[in-house]
Amino acid sequence: MIRIYDNVIPQDTLSGIEVFLTEKASWNFINDDGSRKKWSVGHVRNSSTFTDIDHYLLRILAENGCDISFIQRAVSNCFRRLDSTQYHQDPGEISYMFYLNSEWKRHWGAPTKFKSKKYHLSRKVYPKPGRMVAFSSELFHKGTAPTFLLPSYVVGRFSIVFQGTADRSFFQP
């Protein structure tokens, strides 16, 4: 299951989130697939350390009929040119990913790639300002690097994904 919902975050709010992620957020090197071979820039938080931005995005989910009580963790990502990641699965049953750049052009690349089996490519979902993607955590997926066409004033492709232990909801826009 992959469901795409556009325009779930207003443009002015995205601009504020992007300023925070660019200028004030703390970033680390993270590895989400367990191999310790490939790293990307991100930040992993459990529910007790969710930020104001996390709570804002969770409110969007709750206002649209999602039971957010099962969400246990959030992972922020900033994919940059030349980043190399590996496919992985998320814990839980469903993941909600928000694309957080206030501006994104398709030719800048950085889609999230999904596949249902080890070698079967199912789908690419390209970033779009204010887009939210709900997907089965069983799907193998990975964020990809932006192309060389990404302008130098854009730090990278920002996203936050929320992961939980059970799926008791469906997002209804």
Side-chain angles (χ1 to χ4, degrees):
M1 173 210 63
I2 300 171
R3 294 186 181 146
I4 299 170
Y5 304 92
D6 288 332
N7 304 313
V8 298
I9 306 170
Q11 184 65 35
D12 60 333
T13 303
L14 277 174
S15 296
I17 291 171
E18 188 173 34
V19 166
F20 175 82
L21 294 174
T22 301
E23 298 176 7
K24 298 178 180 148
S26 63
W27 295 97
N28 306 303
F29 286 107
I30 62 172
N31 175 278
D32 212 18
D33 70 351
S35 72
R36 306 281 186 224
K37 292 179 182 177
K38 298 191 179 192
W39 299 85
S40 61
V41 174
H43 191 256
V44 180
R45 297 170 301 288
N46 63 30
S47 59
S48 65
T49 60
F50 281 173
T51 67
D52 289 343
I53 293 170
D54 296 330
H55 289 293
Y56 172 78
L57 297 173
L58 288 170
R59 236 182 351 266
I60 289 173
L61 291 173
E63 289 169 359
N64 286 281
C66 292
D67 177 0
I68 61 171
S69 65
F70 72 90
I71 293 176
Q72 301 296 315
R73 150 179 140 137
V75 179
S76 300
N77 288 293
C78 176
F79 292 108
R80 303 156 303 145
R81 283 184 209 89
L82 302 177
D83 278 350
S84 178
T85 60
Q86 292 187 331
Y87 283 98
H88 65 278
Q89 294 172 299
D90 289 345
E93 293 181 22
I94 193 165
S95 295
Y96 297 101
M97 180 173 44
F98 291 87
Y99 293 108
L100 300 173
N101 292 81
S102 62
E103 175 186 13
W104 199 266
K105 309 291 185 202
R106 187 175 172 105
H107 64 273
W108 295 352
T112 303
K113 292 183 179 181
F114 294 91
K115 62 182 181 176
S116 57
K117 296 181 181 176
K118 193 168 185 175
Y119 300 106
H120 176 68
L121 182 62
S122 298
R123 190 167 188 183
K124 290 181 188 177
V125 176
Y126 281 85
K128 183 176 180 184
R131 175 171 278 176
M132 194 278 297
V133 181
F135 60 93
S136 169
S137 299
E138 294 179 351
L139 290 174
F140 285 91
H141 62 282
K142 70 177 184 173
T144 61
T147 69
F148 69 93
L149 298 172
L150 182 73
S152 60
Y153 67 85
V154 179
V155 174
R157 193 266 275 167
F158 292 122
S159 61
I160 294 179
V161 62
F162 293 96
Q163 304 161 345
T165 57
D167 176 14
R168 296 191 297 270
S169 62
F170 292 95
F171 190 83
Q172 300 297 325

Tab-separated table of all heavy atoms in Angstrom, residues 32-33 73 75 77 87-97 114 135-142 161-164:
chain	number	residue	atom	x	y	z
A	32	ASP	N	19.821	3.562	8.597
A	32	ASP	CA	18.505	2.993	8.867
A	32	ASP	C	18.356	1.546	8.427
A	32	ASP	O	17.338	0.942	8.641
A	32	ASP	CB	17.430	3.848	8.210
A	32	ASP	CG	16.126	3.854	8.986
A	32	ASP	OD1	16.132	3.502	10.179
A	32	ASP	OD2	15.093	4.198	8.398
A	33	ASP	N	19.366	0.987	7.780
A	33	ASP	CA	19.188	-0.371	7.269
A	33	ASP	C	19.959	-1.426	8.057
A	33	ASP	O	19.880	-2.603	7.754
A	33	ASP	CB	19.559	-0.456	5.788
A	33	ASP	CG	21.046	-0.318	5.543
A	33	ASP	OD1	21.782	0.021	6.490
A	33	ASP	OD2	21.475	-0.549	4.411
A	73	ARG	N	7.986	6.705	16.891
A	73	ARG	CA	9.275	7.267	16.494
A	73	ARG	C	9.111	8.143	15.266
A	73	ARG	O	8.221	7.943	14.450
A	73	ARG	CB	10.218	6.080	16.280
A	73	ARG	CG	11.296	6.162	15.311
A	73	ARG	CD	12.110	4.872	15.296
A	73	ARG	NE	12.449	4.539	13.935
A	73	ARG	CZ	13.633	4.119	13.532
A	73	ARG	NH1	14.591	3.923	14.398
A	73	ARG	NH2	13.866	3.847	12.283
A	75	VAL	N	11.678	10.012	12.177
A	75	VAL	CA	13.004	10.087	11.574
A	75	VAL	C	13.001	11.254	10.592
A	75	VAL	O	12.217	11.273	9.660
A	75	VAL	CB	13.378	8.780	10.835
A	75	VAL	CG1	14.759	8.896	10.203
A	75	VAL	CG2	13.300	7.580	11.772
A	77	ASN	N	15.092	13.404	7.752
A	77	ASN	CA	16.159	13.176	6.778
A	77	ASN	C	16.428	14.437	5.978
A	77	ASN	O	15.517	15.216	5.700
A	77	ASN	CB	15.786	12.062	5.794
A	77	ASN	CG	15.813	10.701	6.424
A	77	ASN	OD1	16.857	10.212	6.798
A	77	ASN	ND2	14.645	10.100	6.562
A	87	TYR	N	18.077	0.069	0.632
A	87	TYR	CA	16.697	-0.254	0.937
A	87	TYR	C	16.592	-0.783	2.359
A	87	TYR	O	17.491	-1.470	2.855
A	87	TYR	CB	16.161	-1.313	-0.043
A	87	TYR	CG	15.818	-0.732	-1.391
A	87	TYR	CD1	16.703	-0.824	-2.458
A	87	TYR	CD2	14.600	-0.094	-1.589
A	87	TYR	CE1	16.379	-0.293	-3.704
A	87	TYR	CE2	14.271	0.440	-2.828
A	87	TYR	CZ	15.161	0.335	-3.868
A	87	TYR	OH	14.840	0.873	-5.084
A	88	HIS	N	15.478	-0.461	3.001
A	88	HIS	CA	15.206	-0.935	4.353
A	88	HIS	C	13.692	-0.982	4.565
A	88	HIS	O	12.929	-0.472	3.744
A	88	HIS	CB	15.857	-0.012	5.405
A	88	HIS	CG	15.289	1.364	5.408
A	88	HIS	ND1	15.701	2.342	4.515
A	88	HIS	CD2	14.322	1.932	6.176
A	88	HIS	CE1	15.019	3.448	4.736
A	88	HIS	NE2	14.173	3.230	5.736
A	89	GLN	N	13.289	-1.593	5.650
A	89	GLN	CA	11.895	-1.598	6.075
A	89	GLN	C	11.807	-0.825	7.383
A	89	GLN	O	12.755	-0.814	8.171
A	89	GLN	CB	11.402	-3.029	6.298
A	89	GLN	CG	11.354	-3.850	5.030
A	89	GLN	CD	11.039	-5.301	5.322
A	89	GLN	OE1	11.796	-5.961	6.017
A	89	GLN	NE2	9.932	-5.786	4.776
A	90	ASP	N	10.666	-0.186	7.618
A	90	ASP	CA	10.459	0.530	8.869
A	90	ASP	C	9.842	-0.408	9.901
A	90	ASP	O	9.148	-1.365	9.537
A	90	ASP	CB	9.505	1.719	8.660
A	90	ASP	CG	10.141	2.844	7.867
A	90	ASP	OD1	11.377	2.844	7.715
A	90	ASP	OD2	9.385	3.716	7.405
A	91	PRO	N	10.056	-0.114	11.190
A	91	PRO	CA	9.341	-0.880	12.220
A	91	PRO	C	7.862	-0.536	12.188
A	91	PRO	O	7.476	0.559	11.753
A	91	PRO	CB	10.000	-0.412	13.522
A	91	PRO	CG	10.592	0.921	13.208
A	91	PRO	CD	10.956	0.888	11.762
A	92	GLY	N	7.020	-1.453	12.621
A	92	GLY	CA	5.585	-1.211	12.659
A	92	GLY	C	4.886	-1.693	11.407
A	92	GLY	O	5.420	-2.489	10.641
A	93	GLU	N	3.687	-1.174	11.209
A	93	GLU	CA	2.870	-1.602	10.080
A	93	GLU	C	2.656	-0.516	9.041
A	93	GLU	O	2.414	-0.822	7.883
A	93	GLU	CB	1.515	-2.109	10.576
A	93	GLU	CG	1.635	-3.381	11.391
A	93	GLU	CD	0.281	-3.885	11.858
A	93	GLU	OE1	-0.742	-3.542	11.246
A	93	GLU	OE2	0.265	-4.610	12.851
A	94	ILE	N	2.698	0.755	9.461
A	94	ILE	CA	2.471	1.850	8.524
A	94	ILE	C	3.406	3.000	8.856
A	94	ILE	O	3.769	3.196	10.015
A	94	ILE	CB	0.993	2.317	8.534
A	94	ILE	CG1	0.700	3.228	7.340
A	94	ILE	CG2	0.614	2.958	9.849
A	94	ILE	CD1	-0.773	3.450	7.069
A	95	SER	N	3.832	3.702	7.821
A	95	SER	CA	4.676	4.881	7.982
A	95	SER	C	4.011	6.049	7.274
A	95	SER	O	3.387	5.877	6.230
A	95	SER	CB	6.068	4.645	7.381
A	95	SER	OG	6.762	3.645	8.082
A	96	TYR	N	4.150	7.229	7.865
A	96	TYR	CA	3.638	8.473	7.291
A	96	TYR	C	4.820	9.388	7.039
A	96	TYR	O	5.485	9.813	7.984
A	96	TYR	CB	2.658	9.165	8.239
A	96	TYR	CG	1.416	8.373	8.534
A	96	TYR	CD1	1.276	7.665	9.724
A	96	TYR	CD2	0.367	8.346	7.630
A	96	TYR	CE1	0.127	6.947	10.009
A	96	TYR	CE2	-0.794	7.632	7.896
A	96	TYR	CZ	-0.901	6.937	9.088
A	96	TYR	OH	-2.047	6.225	9.357
A	97	MET	N	5.091	9.692	5.770
A	97	MET	CA	6.233	10.529	5.426
A	97	MET	C	5.751	11.854	4.847
A	97	MET	O	4.925	11.885	3.940
A	97	MET	CB	7.138	9.835	4.411
A	97	MET	CG	8.338	10.671	4.028
A	97	MET	SD	9.540	9.814	2.984
A	97	MET	CE	8.521	8.990	1.798
A	114	PHE	N	10.360	2.608	-3.759
A	114	PHE	CA	9.705	1.518	-3.036
A	114	PHE	C	9.820	0.238	-3.846
A	114	PHE	O	9.743	0.269	-5.068
A	114	PHE	CB	8.214	1.822	-2.846
A	114	PHE	CG	7.933	2.986	-1.961
A	114	PHE	CD1	7.803	4.263	-2.491
A	114	PHE	CD2	7.781	2.819	-0.595
A	114	PHE	CE1	7.530	5.355	-1.684
A	114	PHE	CE2	7.511	3.897	0.224
A	114	PHE	CZ	7.387	5.166	-0.317
A	135	PHE	N	2.485	4.610	3.728
A	135	PHE	CA	2.862	3.357	3.079
A	135	PHE	C	3.047	2.249	4.096
A	135	PHE	O	3.324	2.487	5.269
A	135	PHE	CB	4.117	3.533	2.217
A	135	PHE	CG	5.354	3.985	2.952
A	135	PHE	CD1	6.271	3.062	3.452
A	135	PHE	CD2	5.617	5.326	3.129
A	135	PHE	CE1	7.413	3.477	4.116
A	135	PHE	CE2	6.758	5.757	3.786
A	135	PHE	CZ	7.656	4.832	4.279
A	136	SER	N	2.888	1.038	3.616
A	136	SER	CA	3.096	-0.134	4.443
A	136	SER	C	4.569	-0.231	4.816
A	136	SER	O	5.442	-0.181	3.948
A	136	SER	CB	2.671	-1.390	3.686
A	136	SER	OG	3.091	-2.539	4.379
A	137	SER	N	4.830	-0.382	6.093
A	137	SER	CA	6.216	-0.480	6.565
A	137	SER	C	6.909	-1.748	6.077
A	137	SER	O	8.132	-1.852	6.148
A	137	SER	CB	6.252	-0.432	8.091
A	137	SER	OG	5.722	0.782	8.544
A	138	GLU	N	6.140	-2.693	5.577
A	138	GLU	CA	6.726	-3.914	5.019
A	138	GLU	C	7.449	-3.670	3.700
A	138	GLU	O	8.286	-4.458	3.289
A	138	GLU	CB	5.646	-4.978	4.805
A	138	GLU	CG	5.033	-5.495	6.073
A	138	GLU	CD	3.947	-6.519	5.796
A	138	GLU	OE1	3.553	-6.694	4.619
A	138	GLU	OE2	3.494	-7.140	6.763
A	139	LEU	N	7.100	-2.574	3.018
A	139	LEU	CA	7.736	-2.275	1.740
A	139	LEU	C	9.186	-1.848	1.956
A	139	LEU	O	9.475	-1.019	2.815
A	139	LEU	CB	7.001	-1.141	1.019
A	139	LEU	CG	5.628	-1.451	0.473
A	139	LEU	CD1	4.984	-0.186	-0.082
A	139	LEU	CD2	5.706	-2.515	-0.601
A	140	PHE	N	10.059	-2.416	1.157
A	140	PHE	CA	11.434	-1.934	1.155
A	140	PHE	C	11.424	-0.569	0.469
A	140	PHE	O	10.764	-0.387	-0.552
A	140	PHE	CB	12.348	-2.911	0.403
A	140	PHE	CG	12.662	-4.154	1.171
A	140	PHE	CD1	11.854	-5.274	1.039
A	140	PHE	CD2	13.739	-4.201	2.034
A	140	PHE	CE1	12.124	-6.425	1.756
A	140	PHE	CE2	14.022	-5.344	2.752
A	140	PHE	CZ	13.220	-6.464	2.618
A	141	HIS	N	12.143	0.371	1.040
A	141	HIS	CA	12.167	1.718	0.476
A	141	HIS	C	13.485	2.402	0.827
A	141	HIS	O	14.214	1.958	1.716
A	141	HIS	CB	10.984	2.543	0.991
A	141	HIS	CG	10.996	2.738	2.472
A	141	HIS	ND1	10.597	1.771	3.357
A	141	HIS	CD2	11.397	3.782	3.221
A	141	HIS	CE1	10.739	2.214	4.590
A	141	HIS	NE2	11.236	3.441	4.539
A	142	LYS	N	13.774	3.477	0.091
A	142	LYS	CA	14.945	4.282	0.398
A	142	LYS	C	14.765	5.673	-0.192
A	142	LYS	O	14.126	5.850	-1.227
A	142	LYS	CB	16.222	3.642	-0.129
A	142	LYS	CG	16.384	3.644	-1.641
A	142	LYS	CD	17.729	3.056	-2.026
A	142	LYS	CE	17.995	3.121	-3.512
A	142	LYS	NZ	19.366	2.708	-3.840
A	161	VAL	N	9.487	11.107	8.657
A	161	VAL	CA	8.619	9.932	8.597
A	161	VAL	C	8.271	9.509	10.022
A	161	VAL	O	9.135	9.468	10.899
A	161	VAL	CB	9.262	8.767	7.795
A	161	VAL	CG1	10.534	8.278	8.424
A	161	VAL	CG2	8.276	7.629	7.598
A	162	PHE	N	6.986	9.228	10.244
A	162	PHE	CA	6.503	8.741	11.535
A	162	PHE	C	6.244	7.254	11.426
A	162	PHE	O	5.618	6.797	10.473
A	162	PHE	CB	5.218	9.476	11.944
A	162	PHE	CG	5.440	10.927	12.240
A	162	PHE	CD1	5.205	11.889	11.269
A	162	PHE	CD2	5.918	11.334	13.481
A	162	PHE	CE1	5.429	13.226	11.526
A	162	PHE	CE2	6.155	12.667	13.753
A	162	PHE	CZ	5.909	13.619	12.775
A	163	GLN	N	6.718	6.506	12.424
A	163	GLN	CA	6.604	5.045	12.410
A	163	GLN	C	5.961	4.585	13.710
A	163	GLN	O	6.178	5.184	14.760
A	163	GLN	CB	7.990	4.422	12.278
A	163	GLN	CG	8.732	4.920	11.059
A	163	GLN	CD	10.226	4.697	11.135
A	163	GLN	OE1	10.784	4.423	12.185
A	163	GLN	NE2	10.899	4.826	9.999
A	164	GLY	N	5.175	3.500	13.624
A	164	GLY	CA	4.500	3.013	14.809
A	164	GLY	C	4.479	1.502	14.904
A	164	GLY	O	5.079	0.800	14.101
